[in-house]
């Protein structure tokens, strides 16, 4: 198994139709995360937890979501 410079297993690449984005978490509820591309909370938009997945460990600021959701929110 290949490990990165920090000794961790690299995260798998997003599946077809998905994208992985580095985002800033501004808040959350049971059903959604309030995310933005910058530290400006005024630009933040809600992403449903049913469609987005948060990374773990040092990738906790990486969210994987369907491409259509990222486009709809203006994140790509």
């Amino acid at each position: 198994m290949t490990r990165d410079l920090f000794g961790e297993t690299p995260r798998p690449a997003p599946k077809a139709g998905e994208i992985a984005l580095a985002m800033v978490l501004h808040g959350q509820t049971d059903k959604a995360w309030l995310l933005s591309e910058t530290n400006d909370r005024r630009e933040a938009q809600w992403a449903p937890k049913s469609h987005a997945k948060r990374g773990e460990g040092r990738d906790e600021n990486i969210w994987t979501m369907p491409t259509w959701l990222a486009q709809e929110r203006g994140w790509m």
Side-chain angles (χ1 to χ4, degrees):
M1 174 163 299
T2 316
R3 299 205 181 266
D4 65 11
L5 292 172
F6 303 101
E8 303 211 11
T9 305
R11 44 186 274 108
K15 299 174 187 169
E18 290 185 339
I19 188 166
L21 300 171
M23 306 292 286
V24 177
L25 177 64
H26 294 281
Q28 65 180 320
T29 66
D30 290 340
K31 297 188 181 216
W33 286 295
L34 184 60
L35 304 172
S36 74
E37 294 178 298
T38 67
N39 287 326
D40 190 351
R41 185 181 174 96
R42 295 172 296 181
E43 296 177 3
Q45 297 185 59
W46 292 100
K49 290 181 177 180
S50 60
H51 292 300
K53 182 180 177 201
R54 186 176 188 177
E56 297 178 0
R58 57 176 210 173
D59 288 335
E60 69 180 5
N61 292 321
I62 305 293
W63 274 263
T64 304
M65 62 188 72
T67 304
W68 64 265
L69 179 61
Q71 289 173 333
E72 186 178 279
R73 300 296 191 267
W75 295 330
M76 61 176 292

